[in-house]
Amino acid sequence: MTVVYIDSLFLLNLIVDYLLLLGAARLSGAALCRPRLALGAALGAVYACAVFLPGLGFLVHPAVELAMAGAMVLLAFGGGRRLLRSFLAFLALACALGGGVLALSLMGARGVGLERGVLSPRVDLGVLLLSAAGCYAAASLVFRRGMAHGVRELVPAVLTLERRQVTLTALLDTGNTLTDPATGRGVLVVEGEKAAPLLDTPLGEAQLRDPVGTLAGLEGNGRFRLLPYQAVGVECGLLLAVRLDRARVGEREYRGVLAALSPTRLSDGGTYSALVGAMET
């Protein structure tokens, strides 16, 4: 009879699932929100404990396992265009880890603990680390393009302009290369609606969609300028931008940075309202 200690089982799978979700975020380029990753990992750890309870043997069915993986990814990353990519990255990492542990066990490694499809506390730490490193390396080859997008993480941001401040959530995306052509510095992209409290005269969506005409009406205010950009489906577009006094993003502070005002929302579900690329303090 196999004896399983629920506390050890929960802790082991909580840590492993968190690392798998973190790896999936890195590989897929999804926005990284660590509290949500922890919630997704906690769901996976609860599932790992539940499969050992009497009468819940149906939980090891592949369809249930797949549904649970989907629920973990949805909880960790929310909806959005990268959800499917994150799900596939998570599955790739999980399968690679399981395959690595199984391969090492077939080669005679001791202390390998895969029971009912989940990691058992009997697993040897060295075997687990070796398998994890191998599976991440293998999956990164498959998702190399996704990794090229850089780090994407949600951080708090405080924007200041002439004693006015707004606090919002920004997506730190080091793969974002939008820069000020005059200085070469990185540029913030902020939803116009969220930036309204910073301005003497709030600018609506219609005004921001006509940056040239709006700038003409702001003649004499040297803080505003036009910023060229390129995007999918937009060969050469213009955004109205305002120069801030300072912006505190996470633990870093930037002075005199441009904030481009977007006429539309930046995220599908409103998770963030600003984009921050690679910037210099």
Side-chain angles (χ1 to χ4, degrees):
M1 179 179 178
T2 301
V3 178
V4 177
Y5 295 95
I6 293 296
D7 54 348
S8 300
L9 180 68
F10 180 86
L11 182 60
L12 174 64
N13 282 273
L14 177 68
I15 295 172
V16 172
D17 287 341
Y18 180 87
L19 294 176
L20 288 174
L21 289 169
L22 179 61
R26 299 297 191 192
L27 293 177
S28 65
L32 185 58
C33 181
R34 295 181 184 275
R36 295 197 65 155
L37 292 186
L39 287 176
L43 177 61
V46 169
Y47 167 77
C49 296
V51 300
F52 287 95
L53 297 179
L56 297 181
F58 68 91
L59 292 177
V60 300
H61 191 280
V64 178
E65 292 180 337
L66 194 63
M68 181 56 60
M72 290 171 61
V73 171
L74 184 60
L75 187 58
F77 302 113
R81 291 169 293 181
R82 292 182 179 268
L83 181 61
L84 178 59
R85 188 177 183 86
S86 301
F87 178 62
L88 294 177
F90 177 73
L91 287 183
L93 287 172
C95 292
L97 178 61
V101 171
L102 180 59
L104 288 175
S105 69
L106 294 177
M107 290 188 293
R110 296 183 178 181
V112 177
L114 267 179
E115 297 181 23
R116 303 192 184 186
V118 301
L119 286 172
S120 164
R122 296 188 302 109
V123 66
D124 181 80
L125 182 59
V127 171
L128 182 59
L129 291 177
L130 183 60
S131 300
C135 80
Y136 188 85
S140 66
L141 294 177
V142 178
F143 288 85
R144 184 176 298 275
R145 289 187 177 180
M147 295 183 70
H149 288 284
V151 177
R152 294 166 56 88
E153 186 170 3
L154 296 177
V155 293
V158 180
L159 312 183
T160 303
L161 177 61
E162 297 180 351
R163 297 183 180 181
R164 303 186 186 97
Q165 283 189 342
V166 292
T167 302
L168 41 78
T169 300
L171 175 64
L172 179 62
D173 184 358
T174 56
N176 179 11
T177 59
L178 182 63
T179 58
D180 179 357
T183 63
R185 295 184 64 188
V187 175
L188 295 171
V189 182
V190 184
E191 292 179 2
E193 180 183 356
K194 298 294 184 180
L198 293 174
L199 309 177
D200 292 325
T201 303
L203 302 176
E205 180 180 343
Q207 293 168 295
L208 294 177
R209 287 188 180 276
D210 180 23
V212 177
T214 301
L215 181 63
L218 296 169
E219 186 176 356
N221 192 331
R223 287 187 176 272
F224 289 89
R225 56 164 295 180
L226 295 177
L227 183 70
Y229 75 98
Q230 290 182 331
V232 178
V234 181
E235 184 176 349
C236 184
L238 291 172
L239 289 172
L240 185 66
V242 59
R243 192 167 299 279
L244 303 174
D245 291 330
R246 62 180 178 274
R248 184 169 184 82
V249 182
E251 299 300 322
R252 294 191 174 187
E253 185 168 299
Y254 307 93
R255 292 186 177 274
V257 66
L258 274 181
L261 305 178
S262 171
T264 60
R265 288 193 173 187
L266 298 174
S267 69
D268 295 332
T271 308
Y272 54 88
S273 50
L275 291 174
V276 184
M279 301 175 63
E280 297 180 0
T281 54

